[in-house]
Amino acid sequence: MSTDYQRALGRKIAQERKRRGLSQPELARLVDRSVAWVSQVERGVRKVDRMSVLETVAEALDVPLSELAAEAPVVAAAAEELPGAAGLRLVLSGAHSLQAMLHAPSVPFRNHVQEKVAKAWELTHAARYVELTELLRDLIPTLETAVRSAPEDRRPELFELLASTYQACSAALAKLAEPEAAWIAADRAMVAAERAGDPLLMAAGAFRLGFVFLGARHLDQVEETARTASEALWFLADQGKPEVMSLWGGLTLQRAVAASRLNDATAAYGHLSRAKDMAGRLGDGRNDYNTEFGPANVGLHEIAVAVELGDAGHALRVASQIDTAGLSVERRARMLIDVARAHAQRRQVTEATRALLDAELITPEQLQNHRTARQLISDLLTMQEPPASDLRELADRVGA
C-alpha cells in the first residue's frame, strides 16, 4: 500500500465515520479493534493490511468497499531476495541422505560437531546469516550422513545434534522471511528429535515452528502448535523443571504475539501475565533450547504486543524499564525495532530513527534483512519533510 493511499484511506474513513455520527470508540467497537488502532489508521500512520479488515470497516461505515479501496486494494510488499536466504535454501535442497545410503563416510568426533552446532546458534543469535550459511553448508551434510552410517549406540546423540542444527537453520530462515524453507527445516528438526527419543527437543522444534507460522501470518496455526505443545509440557513445567519451564514460557509468549495480531488484547495480556509468572519462578541467566526465556524476554514480548495493539505509550514505558544486557544482540535489536515502531505510531520521527540506528549499530545485518524495519524506515521518510540526513543515510544503507 502506498503511503499516499494509506493517508487518503485514513481521511476517507474519518470522513465517513463523522458522516455516520460515530465516535472513534464506537467505530472501534464495531470493527473489533482498539481506539488507538482507529486513530492511527485515520491519521495514516497505520496500514489496513488485510482485505478482510477493510471489508469490516466498510460494512461498519455502510459504504461500498470500492470507495475505500478506490486507488488499489491492500497489496503485499514485493518479494526481495535477502542475503543468506538463497544459500540456506540450497543447503536444505541437497540429497545428503542418498550420499550416506550409497557410501560409508567416517563418523565425526562428537566434540568437533558439538562445537560447530554451538557456533551455528551463536551466528543465528547474532543475525550473521551469511556466515551461518557457510557453516551449515558443511555441517548439515556431515550430520545427515553421520546419523545413517554411525553405530546404533551413537545415533541418538547425532540425531540430537542434527535436530538442534535444523532448529538454528529454521530460526534464521524465519527471520529472513522464508516461511516455506523455515517450515521444512523445523519439520526436519522435529523428526530428528523424535529419532533421538528426546521429547523436550521435539517441543523445541514446535517452538521453532511457531516462529515460522508467525512469519507467515498463519496465526491459527501458531495458537494450535503452541497451545498443544505447552499443554503437553505443563505438568513438568509446574513441577519446576527449568528446561521445561523455559519451553513452556517461550510457547506462551508466542500465543501472546499471535493474539495481539488478532487484536485480542485480553488473550494477549493474559498469556503475557502467565509467562511473566513463570519467568519470575525461573529467574535470569538461562537459555534452555535457545529460547532466551526469562523476565527480560517477557518484557520484550510485552513491547511487541503493545505495539501490535496500538498502545505505543505502554510499549515505551515497558522499554524504559527493561535491562536487555543478558540477551542476544538479535533479541536486543528486535526490541529496538519495536520501540521505533512505537515512536512512529506517535509520529516521533527523531526518536524512531535513533532507535533504528542503535539497532543497526549492534547488528547491521539483521536491520538490513528485517522487512518490518525497512518498511518502517520508508514510512518515516514520508513523515518528515524534508527527512533528516541520518534518516536518509540509514534508508540508503538498508535499501529502503
Side-chain angles (χ1 to χ4, degrees):
M1 180 189 295
S2 71
T3 304
D4 288 344
Y5 173 63
Q6 184 176 320
R7 290 173 176 168
L9 174 61
R11 289 193 296 270
K12 181 68 174 177
I13 290 173
Q15 176 186 341
E16 293 297 333
R17 174 180 61 77
K18 293 171 184 175
R19 179 186 62 81
R20 285 204 59 198
L22 295 173
S23 66
Q24 287 186 339
E26 287 170 331
L27 178 58
R29 284 194 295 273
L30 288 174
V31 299
D32 194 24
R33 297 277 162 168
S34 66
V35 178
W37 184 90
V38 172
S39 174
Q40 290 161 12
V41 167
E42 290 188 352
R43 288 185 287 120
V45 299
R46 189 182 183 108
K47 296 186 178 96
V48 179
D49 57 1
R50 292 197 299 275
M51 183 59 75
S52 59
V53 176
L54 194 61
E55 289 172 348
T56 301
V57 173
E59 183 177 351
L61 296 174
D62 193 26
V63 297
L65 177 62
S66 58
E67 286 193 21
L68 297 185
E71 180 182 326
V74 179
V75 295
E80 300 176 43
E81 188 72 276
L82 298 176
L88 288 173
R89 286 201 309 269
L90 288 176
V91 169
L92 290 176
S93 303
H96 310 303
S97 57
L98 179 61
Q99 176 74 14
M101 292 173 67
L102 296 177
H103 304 280
S106 59
V107 180
F109 291 109
R110 178 182 176 86
N111 289 345
H112 177 66
V113 180
Q114 278 182 318
E115 290 175 3
K116 289 194 172 185
V117 175
K119 182 66 175 178
W121 274 109
E122 178 186 326
L123 294 172
T124 300
H125 286 311
R128 289 154 57 187
Y129 303 123
V130 175
E131 291 179 63
L132 176 67
T133 300
E134 291 300 316
L135 177 65
L136 295 187
R137 188 173 287 126
D138 173 67
L139 181 57
I140 285 180
T142 297
L143 284 169
E144 284 282 11
T145 55
V147 296
R148 290 167 174 83
S149 56
E152 196 67 32
D153 62 338
R154 282 206 61 191
R155 290 187 181 181
E157 69 183 41
L158 290 167
F159 272 118
E160 288 179 7
L161 292 169
L162 182 62
S164 185
T165 301
Y166 273 128
Q167 286 176 21
C169 184
S170 177
L173 284 163
K175 294 293 183 184
L176 289 165
E178 291 282 343
E180 294 85 1
W183 193 338
I184 291 171
D187 184 66
R188 290 184 185 177
M190 295 178 73
V191 170
E194 187 173 6
R195 295 286 298 274
D198 189 332
L200 296 188
L201 200 54
M202 289 181 65
F207 176 65
R208 293 299 153 195
L209 193 58
F211 284 116
V212 176
F213 292 147
L214 277 173
R217 299 195 69 84
H218 297 326
L219 302 180
D220 56 339
Q221 290 177 271
V222 179
E223 167 62 18
E224 185 67 10
T225 300
R227 180 187 64 80
T228 53
S230 60
E231 286 177 353
L233 294 171
W234 172 248
F235 176 73
L236 291 175
D238 194 41
Q239 287 185 329
K241 188 171 182 178
E243 298 88 343
V244 187
M245 294 168 73
S246 293
L247 286 167
W248 185 92
L251 291 161
T252 302
L253 289 176
Q254 288 183 341
R255 298 178 73 184
V257 173
S260 73
R261 293 184 183 179
L262 291 169
N263 203 48
D264 188 344
T266 301
Y269 284 116
H271 292 314
L272 274 173
S273 178
R274 287 184 285 275
K276 188 177 296 185
D277 290 342
M278 186 65 77
R281 290 174 55 189
L282 184 63
D284 292 323
R286 301 188 64 92
N287 186 26
D288 301 298
Y289 294 96
N290 292 283
T291 58
E292 297 193 68
F293 181 72
N297 206 3
V298 172
L300 264 63
H301 281 78
E302 187 169 357
I303 295 168
V305 164
V307 171
E308 286 293 336
L309 293 171
D311 192 351
H314 182 67
L316 294 172
R317 284 191 297 274
V318 174
S320 68
Q321 300 166 5
I322 294 180
D323 179 7
T324 62
L327 295 175
S328 69
V329 295
E330 183 272 327
R331 287 277 77 210
R332 286 154 49 200
R334 176 65 230 208
M335 186 201 79
L336 288 166
I337 292 170
D338 284 329
V339 167
R341 292 173 64 200
H343 282 302
Q345 287 177 3
R346 291 184 156 195
R347 302 191 75 83
Q348 296 170 338
V349 179
T350 300
E351 292 84 350
T353 303
R354 186 181 303 119
L356 290 169
L357 289 171
D358 288 344
E360 184 189 34
L361 186 64
I362 61 175
T363 172
E365 194 171 338
Q366 179 177 355
L367 191 72
Q368 181 179 0
N369 289 329
H370 205 293
R371 287 202 170 97
T372 298
R374 296 165 77 189
Q375 181 59 55
L376 175 60
I377 292 167
S378 295
D379 292 343
L380 292 173
L381 288 169
T382 68
M383 293 182 193
Q384 197 174 57
E385 293 292 343
S389 59
D390 55 355
L391 177 57
R392 290 199 309 270
E393 291 165 3
L394 176 63
D396 288 340
R397 288 195 297 274
V398 303

